[in-house]
Amino acid sequence: LHSNSLIFMRLVILTLLLFASANSRLFAGNKQAVRLFSGAIPDAEIRKQCMDKISRVQWLRLNENELQKIRSENPKELNLEIPLPDGQVLSLVLERVQVESPGFQIKTSGSKIFAAAWNKPLHYRGLVAGKKSSLAAISLAESEVSGVISFGEGNYNLLRLRNGNPNQYALFNDRDIREENPFRCHSEGLQQGFREAARQLRPEPESPQSGNCRRVDIFFECDYRMFQDNGSTVQGTVDF
C-alpha cells in the first residue's frame, strides 16, 4: 500500500470529486446492483506488510470483465455493491460526473503536452443507500478502480495493492491505520473547511440544491516516484 501521505492526498482528490456537480440530484431507481469485487486473500507477505500498517482490511479481487463492461456502457447512473471488513455489504447509489475542465491538459517534464491518446476514467459520486449523511466517490480507470466511502464511521479507502497483481485490492477504514499520518497542511482552517463543505454538500432529497455553483481550475503535480509506483506510464500516473 502507499504511504499515509499518499493515502491522504488521494482522499483529498476524491473529496474534490465529491464536490463536483454537487448541485445535481441523485436517483436510486431500480438498477440492478453491480458487484465489481469478490473476496480474495493475497499471499502471506503482502498481508503482513499491510497488517503492520492497518489493523483491519477487506481483501478484494477486481472482476476485470465487469469493469470493462461498465466502461463500454458508460452509464449515467450506477449501483455498486462493496463488501466491508465486518461483513456488511454497502450499496452505492452513484451518478456520473465530469471532473476534467474543458481546457484539461496533461503535461510531462519540461512542460511538454502529452499528446498520446489518454483513456479517460469514468468518475462517479453519490451516497450509500440507507445511510444518512453519507458520501461516496468512485473512479473507474481502464484497468483500476479507486474510491472513498464515508457514512459516519470514518472514511473507507479502496486502493489497488502495488504487488504486481493488478486485480488485488484492499478496502480499509482510515481509523484503522496504525501509523500517524506525517502530512500536515499548515493552511489554517483548510481541513475544517473541507469538513464543513462536505457537510453542506450532502444530498437533501427534499430540498433541491441551488444551481449557483462556481467552479475553479486546479492542477496536481506528480513526482518521479509516483510515476514509478504507477507502472512508469503517464496513463497510470494520471489515473492515480
Side-chain angles (χ1 to χ4, degrees), residues 193-206:
F194 272 126
R195 289 192 290 269
E196 178 63 19
R199 184 187 67 78
Q200 294 178 2
L201 289 173
R202 288 178 181 128
E204 297 290 346
E206 298 169 353

Side-chain angles (χ1 to χ4, degrees), residues 154-171:
N155 301 303
Y156 283 91
N157 302 268
L158 176 64
L159 297 173
R160 188 176 72 182
L161 297 180
R162 306 291 166 172
N163 65 339
N165 187 330
N167 293 329
Q168 287 190 330
Y169 284 74
L171 179 73

Side-chain angles (χ1 to χ4, degrees), residues 47-109:
R47 294 201 307 274
K48 182 180 183 304
Q49 290 177 13
C50 291
M51 299 305 291
D52 284 345
K53 297 180 179 180
I54 304 170
S55 61
R56 189 170 56 163
V57 178
Q58 173 68 49
W59 308 107
L60 300 171
R61 179 177 296 277
L62 173 67
N63 184 332
E64 194 169 356
N65 290 334
E66 198 66 52
L67 172 61
Q68 297 309 320
K69 180 181 178 182
I70 295 173
R71 283 183 54 83
S72 64
E73 293 177 353
N74 192 19
K76 291 183 178 180
E77 298 173 6
L78 183 64
N79 286 8
L80 285 181
E81 288 188 347
I82 304 290
L84 294 184
D86 61 5
Q88 292 187 72
V89 177
L90 298 181
S91 179
L92 308 185
V93 182
L94 308 167
E95 67 175 1
R96 194 178 70 232
V97 293
Q98 175 69 29
V99 175
E100 298 84 7
S101 65
F104 175 80
Q105 288 184 330
I106 302 169
K107 292 184 178 181
T108 57
S109 57

